[in-house]
Amino acid sequence: MSAEQAAGVTLTGISKTFGDFTAVQPMDLSIPQGSFFALLGASGCGKTTTLRMIAGLEQPTAGRVMLGDRDVTSLPPHRRPVNTVFQSYALFPHLSVQDNVAFGLRRRGKKQVHKEVEDVLELVELGPLARRKPAQLSGGQQQRVALARAIVNRPEVLLLDEPLGALDLKLRRQMQLELKRIQTEVGITFVHVTHDQEEAMTMADTIAVMNHGRVEQLGAPAELYESPGSAFVANFLGQSNLIAAEISAAEGDELVLRAGDTKLTLPRDRMRATSAASGTKVLAGIRPEKIAIRSRSDEAAVPEGHNRLTGTIKDASFTGVSTQYVVASPWCPELAVFAQNVESAAGLTPGAEVVLHWNPAHTFGLDGDQDADAGTGEDAL
Amino acid sequence: MRVLTFVRRNLVVIAGTLALGYLLLPNLVVLLYSFNKPVSRYNNTWQEFSTEAWSDPCGAPGICDSVGLSLQIGLLSTLAATALGTLAAFALARHRFRGRAGVNSLIFLPMAMPEVVMAASLGTLFLNMRIEFGFTTILIAHIMFCLSFVVVAVKARLAGMDPKLEEAARDLYAGPLQAFVRVTLPLALPGIAAGAMLSFALSLDDVIITQFNSGPSTITFPMFVWGASLKGVPVQVNVIGSAMFFIAVLLVMAGQLLGNGRARRKS
């Protein structure tokens, strides 16, 4: 994050414990003004608690919350220039859509609210339904009322707590684009809590991946995806192949790794482990779509300098745009490979002997002391 | 055959009408006998049609004083029980404190206990505290047994209310008082109204507890009827009973119409 970018929200040493359960470990987080920021993690990772501390609905056990350069830690929620879109929407059932939307404006003593309410309902395309009660609206419409009710107040920061969780897939995709459009239009800082990595990557400028009350890694979606900093991030954001290896030598800008009798190279600047000494245990990571697959008989065609692994196809599933292979190799029991269906893949059927290869620049290196399965399966929801 | 088909097709309607008739028959009898002109002191055999009692409802000595007293006690105890009960229900539904479970079951106790036990123990209490029996003792007793019903009604309403709504109100710049007045109270209102109506009805027709805790000059309407039944119920009792029934029906109908009208205007 560049220094000249003003901070919208700054959390300093913030933490939260409930009894003897620590929901949020002490952490620092700076959210640039006007950005679309996502807090991504599995349920129970502390992302919603973090959001509620920004809103003032939860008092931090320690640390400070700053909006711009103002310390709001001790301010109650109704004194903070922050609004929330709740997961359950929390629309007031006894008020009409327009009264729901006008609620915040009226509480701040505004008398003439009609114009603003009309404009914001126009923005979320709900103008004709202004007089309805929330119970008379569909889920997607309720979601948009909740959004309108928050942004009409022009808060400094808009907090979104899994706002799309209750919508079906098609509507969710539509609302994602809609939210992004509205954020660009109104220019407010959005802090979006979600467990859906695809949603976070589609919408956010910056993602903080949270795990067990800590921020595992923070960065732009592409950055997190291309060079994850931990096994959890590598597995939670998309899919990764993590191969246990150890460093055998350093050659200029590259590190040479050995996994069994296979040699892999890795750019030195993509190595996340603290030590680069020979013998250090590392996990060599590669995304499934970066791997090319060839029949063993075709091995001569593998470009010079590519990392290569040999194995046997265990499973192949055709998904339309791509074919997903599971390949067993002596050094990694299950390697995932996604191959675009550009050319026909003759002979690439289960049982076939294959060679996998990829450009070493796509390899990333992680500390070898962590669980290579972190962030997969149940952990990842 | 045709009759059988008709019965089968309209079974629900027939059963419903019969049940309703069963419920309302006593009221009809009371109404009918309010137009009677009995020859003895007992108004239980039909003599002739007369509107005498309707034109002079206060004709029986003391009857209108007793109705006035009942209404007074009913209104005051409803007000007090609704206010206290609503506060108690909020405390029980929204806050976690030590002894909450205990309070929850103790609140329920007056509803579960035989009324006569409560009546007698209250009487003993007042006697030992040397409080003079009369208006105050009746009022205290009525507030006490109405309280539980209000708590139960309001608590049920609050249990179905998303606590996130109050958070949303606070998030939208409403201070604690504003959030309560603008969001919590309007949503809890149906429960509060139900509790209040129940309180008023219970207070208005209570005999046992009132009997044990009233003074010589404080005769409520149910006590008046109870006393009169030993030596002959005046026709005016039927008149006032029927009037109460019609007022209640009118109030319910007005409430329905008002609700319907509002719903139609909003949509």
Side-chain angles (χ1 to χ4, degrees), chain B residues 78-145:
Chain B
T78 298
L79 272 178
T82 306
L84 288 173
T86 303
L87 294 177
F90 270 100
L92 288 169
R94 283 284 183 270
H95 298 282
R96 301 280 168 270
F97 52 88
R98 275 175 60 162
R100 182 167 159 271
V103 173
N104 248 331
S105 39
L106 283 177
I107 285 270
F108 195 70
L109 213 57
M111 287 166 70
M113 211 152 65
E115 217 180 331
V116 70
V117 175
M118 212 158 65
S121 51
L122 258 176
T124 315
L125 179 74
F126 289 139
L127 199 68
N128 280 301
M129 289 177 74
R130 302 191 198 298
I131 299 174
E132 203 186 325
F133 284 100
F135 189 85
T136 324
T137 48
I138 300 176
L139 189 62
I140 291 173
H142 281 209
I143 291 172
M144 192 202 72
F145 72 74

Side-chain angles (χ1 to χ4, degrees), chain A residues 203-221:
Chain A
M203 296 163 78
D205 311 322
T206 313
I207 300 176
V209 182
M210 288 188 73
N211 186 25
H212 295 303
R214 287 181 309 107
V215 172
E216 286 257 348
Q217 196 179 356
L218 185 140

